[in-house]
Amino acid sequence: MPWPLRWFARVLTVLVALALVLAGVLVYTVRKSFPQVDGTLRLPGLTGNVEIYRDKSGIPHIYADTAADLFMAQGFVHAQDRFFEMDFRRHTTAGRLSELFGKATLGNDKALRTMGWRRVAEQELPGLDRQTQDFLAAYAKGVNAWLDANPNASDRSLEYSVLKLQNGEYRPEKWTAVDSVAWLKAMAWDLRSNMEDEIDRALALTKLPKERVDQLYPGYPYDRHTPIVTEGALSQGRYDQRAELQVGGVRALSQAAATLDAVPSTMSSEEREGIGSNSWVVSGQHTASGKPLLANDPHLSPQMPSVWYQAGLHCRKMSQQCPYDVTGFTFSGVPGVIIGHNDKISWGFTNLGPDVADLFLEKVDGDTYLYKGEQVKLETRQEQIKVAGGDPVTVTVKSTRHGPLINEVMADAKPSGEANAVALQWTALTPGKTVDAIFALNKAGNWPEFRSAAALFEVPSQNLIYADTSGKIGYQAPGRIPVRENGDGTWPVPGWTGEYDWKPDFIPYDQLPTVEDPAEGFIVTANNAVIDPRRYKPLLTKDWSYGYRSERIRELVKQAIGKGKIDAGAMSDIQQDTSNGFAATLVPELLRVPVAGPAREARELLRTWDHSQGLDSAPAAYFNAVWRHLLMLTFDDDLPEQVWPGGGDRWYDVVAGLLSTPEDPFWDDVTTKDLTETRDDILRQAMASAYQELADMFGTEFRSWKWGDLHRLELVNGTLGTSGLAPVEALFNRGPFAVPGNKDAVNATGWNVQKGYGVTAVPSMRMVVDLSDLDKSRWINLTGASGHAFHDNYWDQAEAWARGDLLPMYSNPESVKKSATHTLTLTPDPSSRP
């Protein structure tokens, strides 16, 4: 062999050997963090044996004799699979990310310290039910038992091994009950209501007169899209289902908007318009089994691992002391089941979205602010933020009677205009009882017990749907919803006058809408309006989702009823529906407008299109590209960049209104001099631009374009998956996947027209519960049970999720044990007993 080849062969041999060694080290490091799922482990603090059965998807079912042992074991199991995720979340909610990642996350921490989630959680814990506090303590004990058994960071998760390269001094601290409570503040934040709409309206007002801003926020179309509740009204201070209807400071705001953007989302994406959920319940009068069916799929940002963790929590013998036999979706870091079923009832959530947060413009002068003609002293506190690799940073948080000044954390905040500060008043910044609601829901056995549990679910306010094995279905709107002295919460308001203050009492629970066994025999909630305001006077909000998803679900349920009795398969099929709710309005307008060149031929794709948005659909690809360019061409020149349209269903109604007014100023491109564009000009340009974009991407043969080639989902790890280091990101991220659907299809895979077609919001899980036989229920998670990269269960459910498949949701002990591939027994540690 010639010398150069011999040299190359030796170098190659060394490199291969080195790669094998590094791969071996990586495999060893990764695998030693995997949990023990078979055999026996001693767990200090247990009072009896606990069995944990896992199926091939890694989903655990936990069996114990006492509630304390049950929740302690749940804490242990969560830590086994998801501790780094839990640790990251508690640093997020406490405003302590900089302890992990250095100054890069300082802005996040400043925003969180200003909001004070952790402080509120600390205040909330002592006010919870004594039993709730005991269960939170038991859960924390289980997490800490796992921590004690894994003293080295690299034994806990691959993320810690990578983190050592930047922050070798970091050591996770013990879990506390407050860590669990604080996580629910993050849940409330991500499911907040119209706070961004308030700011967006005000920012749009800087470039447009109020009447044109109002065009961008049309009222809910009650005449076209049915609200959730269609029966009853307020009567004698209570909601009665049988009652008859009786008709009768710009700079500071920009800084506040930047602060809100700095608050990291733990469940939702930055594309707020894509966040929603579907749920519906059908009574036994319409089902094949004669018992109800319940479906739920919350729409949140795609995360790796998924925000949800599937589990079963079972008392071996049900009693007053151990009343839990519940299966469903949990949050890592929180005991109990959030959405699911027990042995008698099932429930689901969608975001009700009431206006529970207001922005108050304030006049601040030094350490005081103006209120009703007097200068009142600001409340202040100091917050010290530790920074890995740097010196601590101290933040001074200032608050008025309305709440913290959220613009104060911006480094360039300076007084300007009449108002020079913005305070946030939000119901979640007051201690509440939501944690109590979790345990009450988990053990509720009938409709009255369910409603009592729902009364405790204060923040975030959710649409709760219900079904039970006796055949009853229902709906309840819970939550702490403010009553204002004046105003409707749609715009930031002056804080110094006092005329827009919240009243001391919230809307009483007995006055919130509720429905039991409605005449239609089904209930649909999809973030649509709860109730027609002509029927119900207390203000919930004016910023609903516009009802395209809910109306499509209603249509499909009625179609299924018309074909015969509904079964679980029909419920799942509805979840997979991809129909575009605006196509019927826009396509005829596009077909009417003269257009030349290849765009004219591509437009023919739309003529026979059925409006479905499957992976292989060329019409869906072209239509959505036209929609993207239509929105940008129509509105981007008129609005500040912060409020450019993302493409949610609000814009369906905005554009629908404009289509009937071809000379409306929004159609004109203000950047073109001496030229006034009209509706047809913009429609024509949108079709041409869409054709050119897709032709550049996929070639000119438009019949071969596929929506799935555009609309793709990448599962990105919420921490190191966005590190900017390709080798690190490759360890933790997965995908991309082609996915069907669209932002406001029932299969709601959201995207932002300003950024392209990549998926930004998804059905984060899907569930169909069969109350005739709970073992026939089905479910799927977005990723998998494990938070450990390279574990078999890290993303094993993702491909099934993308296909629209569901897995068996077993809960019967015989079925659970039969499907188990692993069995772990936790035993008390005799040395730890008193």
Side-chain angles (χ1 to χ4, degrees):
M1 182 183 295
W3 177 84
L5 292 181
R6 289 200 308 271
W7 177 86
F8 176 76
R10 289 170 183 169
V11 171
L12 183 61
T13 300
V14 171
L15 290 175
V16 170
L18 181 60
L20 290 172
V21 170
L22 291 175
V25 170
L26 178 62
V27 169
Y28 172 74
T29 301
V30 168
R31 294 194 64 83
K32 72 176 182 177
S33 67
F34 291 175
Q36 179 179 338
V37 293
D38 287 299
T40 302
L41 283 173
R42 286 184 174 179
L43 208 64
L46 282 180
T47 61
N49 289 350
V50 174
E51 272 116 27
I52 302 168
Y53 299 94
R54 292 178 184 257
D55 62 12
K56 65 180 181 180
S57 298
I59 299 169
H61 283 265
I62 304 171
Y63 291 83
D65 291 323
T66 70
D69 281 358
L70 189 64
F71 294 118
M72 182 179 175
Q74 186 185 13
F76 181 82
V77 167
H78 275 169
Q80 279 188 304
D81 285 332
R82 299 282 193 96
F83 182 76
F84 181 83
E85 176 193 9
M86 295 162 59
D87 196 20
F88 171 74
R89 282 180 182 168
R90 67 168 163 181
H91 278 80
T92 299
T93 58
R96 294 175 54 196
L97 286 175
S98 299
E99 293 180 19
L100 294 175
F101 304 111
K103 63 181 181 180
T105 54
L106 195 53
N108 302 121
D109 288 343
K110 287 180 178 180
L112 264 299
R113 295 296 182 94
T114 298
M115 302 272 281
W117 293 355
R118 176 83 182 189
R119 294 179 70 253
V120 179
E122 290 170 348
Q123 297 164 10
E124 193 165 293
L125 181 62
L128 297 173
D129 185 86
R130 182 69 255 174
Q131 188 178 70
T132 298
Q133 294 184 54
D134 291 342
F135 292 162
L136 289 167
Y139 179 90
K141 189 185 295 184
V143 176
N144 293 328
W146 180 85
L147 272 173
D148 290 340
N150 296 274
N152 298 316
S154 59
D155 291 335
R156 295 179 176 131
S157 185
L158 177 60
E159 286 93 336
Y160 286 115
S161 298
V162 176
L163 188 63
K164 280 183 185 179
L165 302 176
Q166 175 190 346
N167 184 0
E169 301 300 316
Y170 177 71
R171 297 291 182 273
E173 60 202 37
K174 292 298 181 79
W175 192 263
T176 70
V178 174
D179 295 329
S180 296
V181 177
W183 165 233
L184 295 180
K185 298 301 173 187
M187 174 184 170
W189 175 257
D190 287 343
L191 298 177
R192 63 199 182 276
S193 53
N194 71 335
M195 195 186 311
E196 282 75 14
D197 287 331
E198 288 186 41
I199 291 180
D200 288 354
R201 284 183 174 96
L203 293 179
L205 198 62
T206 65
K207 293 190 70 173
L208 297 173
K210 185 176 183 300
E211 61 270 17
R212 291 190 66 198
V213 176
D214 288 340
Q215 279 184 268
L216 304 178
Y217 294 87
Y220 185 86
Y222 291 98
D223 57 330
R224 293 184 287 115
H225 295 163
T226 307
I228 298 169
V229 176
T230 58
E231 303 176 15
L234 282 180
S235 176
Q236 298 180 342
R238 297 172 62 89
Y239 192 86
D240 185 348
Q241 185 177 343
R242 293 170 298 280
E244 294 296 325
L245 171 63
Q246 301 295 325
V247 177
V250 177
R251 179 179 176 86
L253 281 169
S254 295
Q255 295 162 350
T259 300
L260 297 179
D261 288 343
V263 179
S265 293
T266 49
M267 294 173 63
S268 68
S269 79
E270 62 188 49
E271 321 301 349
R272 291 287 304 160
E273 291 178 347
I275 301 305
S277 299
N278 300 325
S279 71
W280 66 97
V281 60
V282 180
S283 75
Q285 73 188 83
H286 299 310
T287 67
S289 70
K291 294 290 186 178
L293 293 164
L294 183 148
N296 196 190
D297 54 285
H299 308 155
L300 302 169
S301 67
Q303 296 188 29
M304 184 83 244
S306 165
V307 69
W308 300 107
Y309 182 97
Q310 298 146 289
L313 305 174
H314 311 281
C315 294
R316 292 193 186 94
K317 183 177 181 181
M318 297 282 283
S319 66
Q320 189 172 358
Q321 289 70 37
C322 196
Y324 299 102
D325 183 13
V326 59
T327 301
F329 292 88
T330 75
F331 289 142
S332 303
V334 180
V337 166
I338 306 300
I339 293 174
H341 70 78
N342 60 28
D343 60 320
K344 293 184 177 65
I345 76 165
S346 179
W347 66 94
F349 289 176
T350 65
N351 199 19
L352 192 154
D355 192 346
V356 296
D358 280 348
L359 297 170
F360 286 86
L361 306 176
E362 307 283 15
K363 295 181 179 180
V364 174
D365 183 6
D367 63 352
T368 66
Y369 66 99
L370 182 64
Y371 183 70
K372 291 186 176 181
E374 297 183 2
Q375 292 300 129
V376 180
K377 194 169 182 62
L378 289 163
E379 297 179 21
T380 62
R381 69 176 191 273
Q382 301 290 317
E383 294 277 350
Q384 187 180 77
I385 302 171
K386 296 178 181 178
V387 181
D391 296 328
V393 173
T394 299
V395 176
T396 300
V397 178
K398 302 176 183 178
S399 301
T400 70
R401 63 183 290 112
H402 300 117
L405 299 180
I406 59 174
N407 62 299
E408 283 289 315
V409 298
M410 303 307 296
D412 62 347
K414 297 176 182 178
S416 66
E418 188 177 18
N420 56 18
V422 181
L424 168 65
Q425 187 163 10
W426 177 36
T427 54
L429 297 183
T430 303
K433 293 279 191 179
T434 299
V435 187
D436 286 338
I438 296 173
F439 299 105
L441 282 172
N442 283 196
K443 66 181 180 182
N446 53 45
W447 174 244
E449 291 177 1
F450 172 81
R451 291 199 68 229
S452 295
L456 302 169
F457 207 101
E458 297 173 329
V459 180
S461 185
Q462 300 289 287
N463 295 305
L464 299 184
I465 60 167
Y466 169 93
D468 64 31
T469 54
S470 74
K472 184 176 293 297
I473 67 171
Y475 164 85
Q476 178 64 54
R480 185 191 294 165
I481 303 172
V483 180
R484 297 166 179 83
E485 294 286 353
N486 285 291
D488 58 13
T490 57
W491 297 81
V493 293
W496 57 86
T497 67
E499 61 183 315
Y500 299 99
D501 285 1
W502 290 3
K503 293 183 178 181
D505 296 323
F506 300 98
I507 299 176
Y509 180 66
D510 285 344
Q511 292 186 10
L512 292 173
T514 184
V515 172
E516 176 184 356
D517 291 329
E520 277 190 307
F522 64 89
I523 302 166
V524 175
T525 87
N527 317 114
N528 52 317
V530 170
I531 190 168
D532 192 317
R534 293 172 299 178
R535 181 183 295 277
Y536 183 81
K537 290 306 179 185
L539 177 67
L540 300 177
T541 186
K542 290 192 172 182
D543 290 315
W544 308 106
S545 180
Y546 280 70
Y548 286 84
R549 277 181 289 114
S550 60
E551 203 62 24
R552 178 61 176 170
I553 294 168
R554 289 179 58 84
E555 175 188 347
L556 293 171
V557 168
K558 288 180 178 179
Q559 288 178 6
I561 291 172
K563 294 176 182 177
K565 298 293 187 178
I566 298 176
D567 60 13
M571 299 284 276
S572 178
D573 289 343
I574 294 173
Q575 288 180 328
Q576 295 301 315
D577 183 74
T578 64
S579 180
N580 188 299
F582 193 56
T585 300
L586 184 56
V587 167
E589 294 292 331
L590 297 175
L591 294 173
R592 178 189 56 77
V593 176
V595 60
R600 180 178 180 179
E601 296 179 44
R603 184 180 62 176
E604 289 302 303
L605 291 169
L606 305 179
R607 194 172 296 278
T608 58
W609 180 38
D610 64 358
H611 306 163
S612 64
Q613 299 168 102
L615 296 180
D616 296 330
S617 174
Y622 183 58
F623 178 85
N624 282 300
V626 173
W627 174 242
R628 162 173 150 82
H629 288 280
L630 174 61
L631 287 182
M632 293 191 296
L633 289 166
T634 307
F635 300 106
D636 286 8
D637 60 309
D638 293 289
L639 297 170
E641 184 175 351
Q642 302 99 309
V643 294
W644 284 352
D649 65 354
R650 171 165 65 91
W651 296 99
Y652 290 177
D653 272 26
V654 172
V655 173
L658 292 178
L659 288 172
S660 62
T661 53
E663 309 294 330
D664 190 284
F666 275 117
W667 294 120
D668 180 37
D669 183 352
V670 299
T671 66
T672 58
K673 304 300 181 183
D674 303 320
L675 180 63
T676 301
E677 288 85 1
T678 64
R679 173 196 61 198
D680 289 0
D681 296 320
I682 298 302
L683 294 178
R684 187 180 300 109
Q685 182 59 52
M687 287 188 280
S689 296
Y691 172 84
Q692 193 60 55
E693 180 185 26
L694 298 190
D696 289 344
M697 295 172 70
F698 304 118
T700 58
E701 180 42 63
F702 52 84
R703 293 178 187 83
S704 67
W705 295 343
K706 296 181 179 180
W707 178 227
D709 289 341
L710 278 172
H711 196 48
R712 298 175 71 80
L713 166 65
E714 184 172 3
L715 297 173
V716 178
N717 186 278
T719 54
L720 299 176
T722 57
S723 66
L725 301 173
V728 172
E729 292 180 357
L731 293 175
F732 299 104
N733 298 343
R734 299 294 183 270
F737 303 92
V739 294
N742 192 15
K743 187 168 241 179
D744 281 287
V746 179
N747 190 358
T749 52
W751 54 288
N752 185 318
V753 301
Q754 303 291 339
K755 299 179 180 180
Y757 305 93
V759 176
T760 59
V762 295
S764 56
M765 61 80 159
R766 297 186 182 101
M767 176 183 77
V768 176
V769 179
D770 187 337
L771 277 299
S772 71
D773 182 350
L774 293 168
D775 255 14
K776 293 181 179 178
S777 303
R778 310 280 290 177
W779 60 357
I780 196 76
N781 203 349
L782 175 63
T783 59
S786 180
H788 298 286
F790 302 103
H791 191 281
D792 288 345
N793 302 130
Y794 184 55
W795 62 304
D796 58 315
Q797 295 185 54
E799 291 185 345
W801 174 93
R803 290 193 303 270
D805 294 343
L806 298 175
L807 305 177
M809 187 181 183
Y810 294 131
S811 56
N812 182 286
E814 290 75 22
S815 302
V816 168
K817 293 174 184 178
K818 184 177 179 179
S819 65
T821 57
H822 303 283
T823 304
L824 176 68
T825 301
L826 304 179
T827 65
D829 186 345
S831 65
S832 67
R833 291 180 176 175

